[in-house]
Amino acid sequence: MSGVASTLAKKRALAAGFGTNAKAVPFLNQDFTALRAQCRAEGRLFCDPSFPAEPEALGFKDLGRSSPKVRGVTWKRPKELVSNPEFIVGGATRTDICQGALGDCWLLAAIASLTLNEFVMARVVPTDQGFGDDYAGIFHFQFWQFGEWVDVVIDDRLPVKDGELLFVHSAEGREFWSALLEKAYAKVNGCYEALSGGSTTEGFEDFTGGIAENYDLQRPPANLFQIIKKALEAGALLGCSIDITSAADSEAVTRQKLVKGHAYSLTGAVEVNYRGRQEKLVRVRNPWGQVEWTGAWSDGSPEWQSVQGDCPHAKAEDGEFWMSYTDFLRNYSRIEVCTLTPDTIDDDSVKHWSVSKFDGMWRKGSTAGGCRNHPYTFWMNPQFVIKLDEEDDDPEDGEVGCSFVVGLIQKNRRKLRKVGEDMHTVGFAIYEVPKQFYGQRDVHLDKNFFLSHAQTAKSETFINLREVSTRFKLPPGEYLIVPSTFDPHLNGDFCIRVFSEKQTETLPCDDPVKADLDDETVSDSEVDAGFRGLFSKLAGPDMEISAVELQTIMNKIVAKRTDIKTDGFSLDTCRVMVNLMDDSGNGKLGIGEFATLWKKVQRYLTLYKKNDLDNTGTMSTPEMRVAFKDAGFTLNNAIYQLLVARYSDPNMTIDFDNFVGCLMRLEMMFRIFKKLDAHNSGSIELDFNQWINFSMI
């Protein structure tokens, strides 16, 4: 119940503007301004209790407490390392970031690209801090985390080995913004080791809230150079890398000094007049701060002497270099482009795309249906509808249609590395919505739809990255997006985003919550003589049946049946059954009430047998959702997830007693609400005593 309450509280906070670009949520409820003021008033330096300077902050395996890699590591503040530390020296630049002993080149490439956009940089790295008069050993940074901006507080104790910073550091020895930023990002993800290995797009998105796309340079679009140039002009972040073919290739250096399996930043794209013709050049940066391309157009190469007019050449040994666009395509495998959201760009000349974003979850047995390879469960996945109305203006490729990018992000998976989990393999399918469903958002399409309709489009691949994103161009219409894990029955949280060139409508598609309940009441006078005789034997002298007596009766009945499996009715289930039928409030059932209950149980038994399609004597959780509909209940994903979590067994089956108990409680909740909502307004008001009475049933 506390989980439900926290979800509601979060929705209200979002409605109030918290988590937006302009109003970040304090991560772990730590308020930077208040904590700094408190430390200054008390004359002490901040020590972060939520991310202490201990081995657990470093890692869990390769950087775990007993690993030789962390032997001799101490934690020191910048003022203990240099006499006059600075937060930023001469402005944040891409040469401020040099990689340390952590395999997070992907993150450092993203940080290097971040420095190229002053507006974005100023929000991720707030300028209201430093080592001056306000210094109190506390710093803060802001990251986008799955749909909301969070403000992350850290202390400035950094891991040091042999007198040097262990991880990221600046080439300017007294500058510390990049090392502190890395620590804040490690805190968000659980520890430093959780940052090892990844895609630059992940860092791009967490610094901007934008959406990233990947281009395979073995099959580049014809206008890729223009895409790169326009993206850089629009403030997008770009990264590139060279694929590895074996573990031995990882960070292997080629003959011309390019590093395989390593994340680079792409920081520039120009055309120069070279020997009377236009030559396309790109600028690339190695986050190591050294090891540069030695081929054509590299630092000091003869090509620069034959350039007429403007020349962008720089010769510093800083890890940054130029190369021809042709050599770039020949040597690199892929490029990643992060398109920024409208609220990230303060330049009105930039053409903004519209953005829609929704949170969702896959839960074993209820909404984790797996990919299309699993038709029996695929339909259970969450569903979203996108409505495309307007075609693109002046499409670059000449193809008419509606352009949009779908991004599916797994949430919080890096944090789970400590317990042996990692990224799921995820993707999505897109279906054209049949005309009869246009405009409908209160329907969750079922198994029959997916068995009879082919997908219109799909994500480029199912892959175990944090995000899968793909660009599409489809004719105007309505389309259903179904995000899923590759295998069914895997728990995970996700958010799905749609970026579109034109304004679009994207909404979750789910069943409404309603119940069509018949009046099954049997009055005392309607009970026949045979049932009266049975009742008098069962009820005892008081001619009423208590929860304990009902438990005995139900278990004697089900024990004789071989076609259904049950561990027997629990006393709690029998209490729910009595509470639903007990009009007098004495906790017992009279003859009419028991006859009504008996009628319900018989109907539930028929439904149970009908939906036990494999005749195992139990009902699977997909069968359970269909059985609920047969019983008159239409439920959305959120409620269905709760019911599966509370009533099904670990093997994702529900036996007969739990099935009956679940339906009884559902019916009771619907009937109570309907009775209190006399005007069918869809809402009721309870005082505290009423709330306690109903919640305790």
Side-chain angles (χ1 to χ4, degrees):
M1 184 61 71
S2 60
V4 175
S6 63
T7 300
L8 290 172
K10 188 170 184 178
K11 285 181 177 179
R12 289 178 179 175
L14 288 173
F18 288 97
T20 61
N21 194 282
K23 194 186 290 187
V25 174
F27 186 65
L28 302 180
N29 293 316
Q30 290 178 299
D31 184 282
F32 169 72
T33 304
L35 287 170
R36 182 169 66 175
Q38 181 182 351
C39 288
R40 286 184 55 76
E42 296 172 0
R44 63 180 177 86
L45 296 180
F46 178 65
C47 292
D48 186 2
S50 62
F51 197 55
E54 294 176 358
E56 284 68 30
L58 295 176
F60 47 89
K61 187 180 177 183
D62 291 343
L63 296 176
R65 182 181 285 271
S66 58
S67 168
K69 292 183 179 180
V70 302
R71 198 168 295 143
V73 171
T74 58
W75 297 79
K76 293 185 181 295
R77 299 185 189 269
K79 288 193 173 186
E80 297 175 293
L81 292 169
V82 297
S83 58
N84 57 339
E86 295 280 353
F87 187 56
I88 296 177
V89 177
T93 65
R94 55 191 180 277
T95 57
D96 294 344
I97 306 110
C98 300
Q99 190 172 355
L102 188 61
D104 61 348
C105 58
W106 61 275
L107 174 62
L108 308 191
I111 297 173
S113 294
L114 175 68
T115 63
L116 300 177
N117 187 313
E118 290 183 17
F119 178 75
V120 177
M121 178 75 185
R123 197 199 40 252
V124 176
V125 185
T127 56
D128 60 345
Q129 54 192 337
F131 295 93
D133 294 339
D134 284 340
Y135 172 71
I138 183 171
F139 290 84
H140 70 133
F141 299 86
Q142 296 192 350
F143 305 118
W144 182 88
Q145 289 287 283
F146 318 116
E148 70 176 13
W149 283 90
V150 294
D151 189 88
V152 183
V153 166
I154 56 165
D155 63 38
D156 63 347
R157 293 177 293 176
L158 296 168
V160 172
K161 191 171 185 179
D162 300 326
E164 302 287 339
L165 287 176
L166 184 61
F167 301 129
V168 71
H169 53 279
S170 172
E172 167 59 69
R174 60 193 185 92
E175 182 179 51
F176 287 92
W177 72 267
S178 56
L180 294 166
L181 171 63
E182 183 189 41
K183 179 175 182 178
Y185 200 63
K187 177 177 176 177
V188 164
N189 286 282
C191 63
Y192 278 95
E193 188 175 350
L195 304 183
S196 183
S199 166
T200 304
T201 56
E202 196 172 329
F204 283 169
E205 292 185 342
D206 286 352
F207 297 151
T208 67
I211 193 165
E213 301 173 69
N214 282 278
Y215 291 96
D216 183 346
L217 297 184
Q218 309 310 307
R219 300 185 299 276
N223 61 337
L224 180 59
F225 186 78
Q226 284 70 32
I227 290 173
I228 293 171
K229 200 170 179 182
K230 285 176 66 176
L232 287 167
E233 289 168 357
L237 306 185
L238 292 86
C240 52
S241 59
I242 303 170
D243 286 349
I244 60 174
T245 53
S246 67
D249 267 357
S250 183
E251 298 200 339
V253 181
T254 69
R255 185 170 52 84
Q256 292 180 307
K257 302 297 183 184
L258 296 179
V259 186
K260 294 183 178 182
H262 188 61
Y264 287 81
S265 310
L266 201 158
T267 61
V270 298
E271 291 186 71
V272 297
N273 189 336
Y274 173 65
R275 294 181 177 174
R277 62 179 174 82
Q278 291 299 106
E279 178 79 32
K280 295 183 176 71
L281 303 178
V282 294
R283 186 176 62 202
V284 182
R285 182 171 191 280
N286 182 349
W288 285 350
Q290 53 188 352
V291 186
E292 298 183 10
W293 163 253
T294 58
W297 299 100
S298 60
D299 289 359
S301 70
E303 286 81 8
W304 293 107
Q305 297 170 13
S306 302
V307 174
Q308 291 97 42
D310 292 339
C311 179
H313 185 39
K315 294 184 179 180
E317 179 63 27
D318 54 8
E320 190 165 60
F321 52 87
W322 289 93
M323 63 195 306
S324 74
Y325 178 62
T326 305
D327 279 338
F328 175 73
L329 292 180
R330 187 180 298 125
N331 284 277
Y332 283 84
S333 307
R334 62 192 64 256
I335 184 173
E336 299 151 330
V337 180
C338 183
T339 301
L340 305 187
T341 56
D343 59 356
T344 309
I345 306 170
D346 61 351
D347 184 351
D348 291 335
S349 67
V350 175
K351 189 174 181 181
H352 297 166
W353 282 37
S354 67
V355 186
S356 300
K357 178 241 163 209
F358 295 96
D359 294 309
M361 59 183 71
W362 297 296
R363 288 296 179 266
K364 179 179 178 180
S366 57
T367 53
C371 69
R372 274 181 58 90
N373 296 347
H374 307 276
Y376 182 62
T377 55
F378 177 72
W379 65 277
M380 297 166 61
N381 287 301
Q383 301 172 10
F384 302 85
V385 168
I386 176 173
K387 184 179 180 183
L388 304 175
D389 287 328
E390 295 182 70
E391 293 174 339
D392 300 346
D393 295 327
D394 305 320
E396 283 185 12
D397 55 10
E399 183 184 344
V400 176
C402 307
S403 292
F404 63 102
V405 180
V406 178
L408 170 64
I409 302 181
Q410 306 184 63
K411 297 168 72 170
N412 301 313
R413 298 303 299 179
R414 283 189 179 275
K415 285 183 180 178
L416 296 175
R417 287 183 173 180
K418 283 185 175 181
V419 293
E421 292 198 34
D422 212 322
M423 302 292 177
H424 290 318
T425 300
V426 301
F428 54 86
I430 298 178
Y431 294 80
E432 187 171 358
V433 174
K435 292 289 195 296
Q436 67 265 31
F437 290 113
Y438 270 31
Q440 296 185 41
R441 301 295 176 263
D442 56 351
V443 60
H444 186 96
L445 295 176
D446 62 15
K447 179 174 65 175
N448 295 328
F449 170 81
F450 296 104
L451 289 175
S452 58
H453 290 77
Q455 60 190 15
T456 302
K458 61 178 181 176
S459 54
E460 187 176 347
T461 182
F462 271 75
I463 193 167
N464 60 340
L465 292 177
R466 188 180 76 162
E467 181 177 48
V468 174
S469 66
T470 307
R471 181 182 291 251
F472 303 96
K473 183 175 284 190
L474 294 174
E478 293 195 9
Y479 297 88
L480 188 75
I481 304 173
V482 184
S484 71
T485 54
F486 186 77
D487 295 315
H489 310 312
L490 296 174
N491 292 326
D493 296 334
F494 68 85
C495 71
I496 191 161
R497 297 183 296 164
V498 178
F499 281 54
S500 48
E501 185 168 316
K502 292 287 190 175
Q503 192 67 37
T504 59
E505 179 186 39
T506 307
L507 291 169
C509 190
D510 206 352
D511 286 329
V513 180
K514 62 181 183 179
D516 182 15
L517 302 175
D518 295 330
D519 185 0
E520 298 175 300
T521 305
V522 179
S523 66
D524 289 4
S525 60
E526 291 176 306
V527 178
D528 61 39
F531 196 88
R532 284 181 183 277
L534 174 65
F535 181 78
S536 62
K537 290 180 182 177
L538 298 172
D542 63 355
M543 289 303 288
E544 288 189 311
I545 291 177
S546 67
V548 174
E549 291 168 328
L550 179 62
Q551 182 184 22
T552 303
I553 294 166
M554 296 303 298
N555 286 336
K556 282 184 177 179
I557 293 169
V558 296
K560 297 176 182 177
R561 301 197 65 117
T562 58
D563 55 343
I564 57 173
K565 289 184 179 176
T566 175
D567 294 330
F569 281 76
S570 69
L571 187 57
D572 282 344
T573 299
C574 291
R575 283 196 180 111
V576 170
M577 295 163 73
V578 170
N579 288 339
L580 176 63
M581 309 309 306
D582 175 25
D583 285 334
S584 64
N586 69 347
K588 295 184 178 183
L589 302 180
I591 187 168
E593 294 166 338
F594 182 68
T596 303
L597 173 61
W598 187 249
K599 185 177 178 181
K600 286 183 186 296
V601 171
Q602 292 296 316
R603 182 165 67 87
Y604 293 161
L605 179 60
T606 302
L607 291 174
Y608 190 81
K609 296 273 305 158
K610 173 189 171 186
N611 287 286
D612 176 17
L613 300 178
D614 52 5
N615 295 314
T616 59
T618 61
M619 184 183 293
S620 69
T621 50
E623 292 168 343
M624 175 179 166
R625 188 162 187 165
V626 177
F628 285 163
K629 280 202 170 184
D630 288 347
F633 298 99
T634 305
L635 307 174
N636 62 20
N637 283 340
I639 294 176
Y640 184 57
Q641 286 172 357
L642 286 173
L643 296 181
V644 168
R646 293 178 182 177
Y647 290 95
S648 69
D649 292 330
N651 63 355
M652 292 170 294
T653 61
I654 181 169
D655 57 17
F656 182 61
D657 57 298
N658 282 321
F659 179 68
V660 171
C662 182
L663 284 176
M664 286 285 185
R665 184 173 288 277
L666 266 178
E667 182 172 342
M668 178 168 60
M669 300 305 291
F670 273 101
R671 291 198 186 280
I672 287 173
F673 190 93
K674 193 170 183 180
K675 185 175 286 188
L676 294 175
D677 184 19
H679 302 292
N680 293 319
S681 65
S683 62
I684 59 176
E685 186 174 316
L686 303 175
D687 64 30
F688 183 69
N689 285 329
Q690 291 169 325
W691 161 249
I692 289 293
N693 277 312
F694 287 127
S695 63
M696 293 302 291
I697 292 177

